[in-house]
């Protein structure tokens, strides 16, 4: 398996290289540049031009790309023109918040999706199953920002159960137990919102697999031998039905990280998604290119992770 993983990692390198080219070109062809917002009637145009020259924005695009790539390989994505700090430092601080939010969202997603999918498949066409199907339809149809706004209004403002902005309350001493609990407390509402939208595919996969597995010969054989029904589901049906869900685990992780833009923006949560939106508004190209490249790399890595997990849970499958 290690040879297969190494081969896949090697194949990832040209994918990442092509991604970096596309990301750089798209960012450079966006209207304006980081210094456009500085132009005022009182500003001397020669000053802005000098800043562009110093930043290398007047160089040929090929030269700009290779200079950017060389620095990126060393972990240097330049300076943020908006925040006046290195891009790597800025993203590093925000990435921690996004990763923790994504992990908590993933936990809530599986806590909700696994029992609903299994029970819906086990009791297919029952009132419970129809309720799950209706829930699935609503969660699939409702836009992310609509559900997020409803959650903020109801649980944040009406009931006041959860905070609606930030990642930690002011005045909390860093490093203490109350500090870490406060951070988790701030993540609960956006994580649940994210989870409610992310359960659709898992529930549908699991429900369909359970219904299909119930008709297989090995299940009928187990029942004919007098195996208790709960054991039939736990040892036979569930174990085989979980394979498609396990294969999408890597995609779920990368989807949560890459899809955090709307959730973080609405909940004013200081993560990479909110930073991405703010960087687009301010035309902070150094941050934009670094974030898009990071999102793309996590997607490629997530594909590899899903293949590896699928190989582990089902030895019959080999990555080609």
């Amino acid at each position: 398996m290690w040879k297969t993983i190494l081969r896949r990692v090697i194949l990832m390198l040209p994918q990442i290289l092509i991604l970096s080219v596309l990301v750089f070109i798209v960012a450079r062809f966006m209207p304006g540049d980081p210094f456009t917002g500085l132009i005022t009637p009182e500003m001397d145009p020669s000053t802005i031009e000098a800043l562009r020259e110093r930043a290398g924005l007047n160089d040929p695009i090929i030269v700009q790309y290779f200079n950017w790539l060389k620095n990126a390989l060393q972990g240097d994505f330049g300076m943020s023109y908006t925040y006046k700090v290195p891009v790597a430092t800025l993203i590093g601080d925000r990435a921690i918040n996004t990763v923790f939010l994504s992990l908590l969202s993933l936990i809530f997603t599986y806590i909700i999706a696994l029992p609903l999918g299994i029970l819906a498949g086990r009791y297919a066409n029952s009132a419970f199953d129809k309720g799950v199907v209706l829930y699935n339809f609503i969660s699939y149809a409702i836009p992310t920002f609509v559900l997020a706004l409803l959650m903020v209004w109801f649980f944040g403002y009406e009931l006041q159960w959860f905070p609606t902005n930030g990642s930690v309350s002011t005045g909390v001493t860093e490093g203490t137990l109350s500090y870490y609990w406060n951070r988790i407390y701030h993540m609960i509402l956006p994580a649940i919102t994210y989870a409610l939208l992310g359960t659709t595919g898992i529930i549908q996969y699991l429900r369909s697999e359970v219904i299909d597995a119930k008709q297989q010969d090995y299940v009928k054989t187990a029942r004919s031998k007098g195996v208790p029904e709960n054991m039939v589901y736990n040892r036979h049906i569930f174990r085989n039905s979980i394979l498609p869900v396990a294969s999408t685990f890597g995609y779920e992780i990368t989807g949560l990280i890459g899809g955090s833009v709307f959730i973080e923006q609405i909940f004013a949560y200081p993560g990479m998604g909110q930073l991405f939106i703010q960087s687009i508004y301010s035309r902070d190209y150094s941050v934009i290119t670094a974030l898009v490249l990071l999102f793309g790399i996590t997607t490629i890595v997530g594909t590899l992770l899903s293949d590896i997990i699928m190989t582990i849970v089902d030895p019959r499958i080999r990555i080609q």
Side-chain angles (χ1 to χ4, degrees):
M1 187 176 72
W2 292 109
K3 291 182 179 179
T4 302
I5 295 175
L6 179 61
R7 184 168 64 250
R8 287 297 305 273
V9 170
I10 294 174
L11 290 174
M12 283 169 50
L13 298 180
Q15 293 178 318
I16 294 176
L17 181 62
I18 295 173
L19 174 67
S20 68
V21 173
L22 294 176
V23 167
F24 185 85
I25 291 176
V26 170
R28 282 299 182 270
F29 278 95
M30 289 177 64
D33 59 44
F35 303 107
T36 301
L38 300 178
I39 299 177
T40 62
E42 296 79 17
M43 177 67 69
D44 186 359
S46 61
T47 302
I48 298 295
E49 189 61 30
L51 291 173
R52 288 173 174 154
E53 184 68 30
R54 187 183 309 169
L57 297 179
N58 293 333
D59 295 337
I61 191 168
I62 297 179
V63 175
Q64 293 184 47
Y65 169 73
F66 280 107
N67 288 335
W68 173 77
L69 181 62
K70 179 183 69 175
N71 294 330
L73 292 174
Q74 301 172 358
D76 180 12
F77 292 94
M79 292 286 295
S80 168
Y81 297 102
T82 304
Y83 297 93
K84 312 301 181 186
V85 296
V87 173
T89 301
L90 180 63
I91 293 179
D93 295 337
R94 300 296 188 97
I96 295 174
N97 291 336
T98 296
V99 168
F100 283 139
L101 176 61
S102 299
L103 290 176
L104 187 61
S105 301
L106 195 64
I107 292 172
F108 285 144
T109 298
Y110 280 96
I111 288 176
I112 297 171
L114 291 182
L116 289 182
I118 294 170
L119 294 175
R122 182 171 181 175
Y123 303 107
N125 299 319
S126 65
F128 177 81
D129 177 42
K130 293 177 181 178
V132 172
V133 172
L134 178 62
Y135 159 78
N136 232 28
F137 175 78
I138 294 174
S139 63
Y140 180 78
I142 189 171
T144 302
F145 69 92
V146 172
L147 179 61
L149 289 173
L150 289 174
M151 297 289 279
V152 169
W153 167 74
F154 187 71
F155 292 103
Y157 291 104
E158 291 296 322
L159 299 180
Q160 297 184 0
W161 286 359
F162 300 101
T164 58
N165 59 79
S167 61
V168 65
S169 301
T170 56
V172 180
T173 304
E174 186 174 354
T176 62
L177 184 61
S178 59
Y179 171 81
Y180 293 111
W181 163 245
N182 192 266
R183 293 199 64 170
I184 295 175
Y185 182 53
H186 276 74
M187 289 189 293
I188 290 177
L189 190 58
I192 292 177
T193 304
Y194 223 152
L196 291 175
L197 296 170
T199 57
T200 306
I202 299 176
I203 291 175
Q204 188 61 39
Y205 272 128
L206 200 51
R207 177 182 178 274
S208 299
E209 289 297 318
V210 169
I211 293 175
D212 181 66
K214 289 192 300 184
Q215 311 302 322
Q216 299 300 317
D217 291 337
Y218 65 87
V219 173
K220 295 178 181 178
T221 302
R223 283 174 173 156
S224 66
K225 291 181 177 180
V227 178
E229 192 68 11
N230 287 335
M231 189 174 295
V232 170
Y233 274 92
N234 294 335
R235 291 191 177 182
H236 299 284
I237 295 178
F238 176 72
R239 183 177 296 179
N240 289 278
S241 300
I242 200 68
L243 294 180
V245 177
S247 68
T248 62
F249 184 77
Y251 297 110
E252 292 291 336
I253 296 176
T254 56
L256 287 169
I257 295 176
S260 61
V261 176
F262 291 112
I263 295 293
E264 291 183 358
Q265 185 69 12
I266 292 174
F267 285 93
Y269 185 80
M272 292 191 296
Q274 186 191 55
L275 177 63
F276 183 67
I277 294 294
Q278 293 171 346
S279 300
I280 292 177
Y281 287 154
S282 59
R283 294 186 176 90
D284 200 338
Y285 295 117
S286 299
V287 180
I288 294 172
T289 52
L291 284 174
V292 174
L293 181 63
L294 180 60
F295 291 152
I297 291 175
T298 55
T299 301
I300 295 173
V301 172
T303 303
L304 174 63
L305 181 61
S306 293
D307 291 339
I308 294 173
I309 293 173
M310 194 64 177
T311 304
I312 293 173
V313 298
D314 189 354
R316 299 169 300 176
I317 297 176
R318 292 294 178 264
I319 306 174
Q320 300 298 326

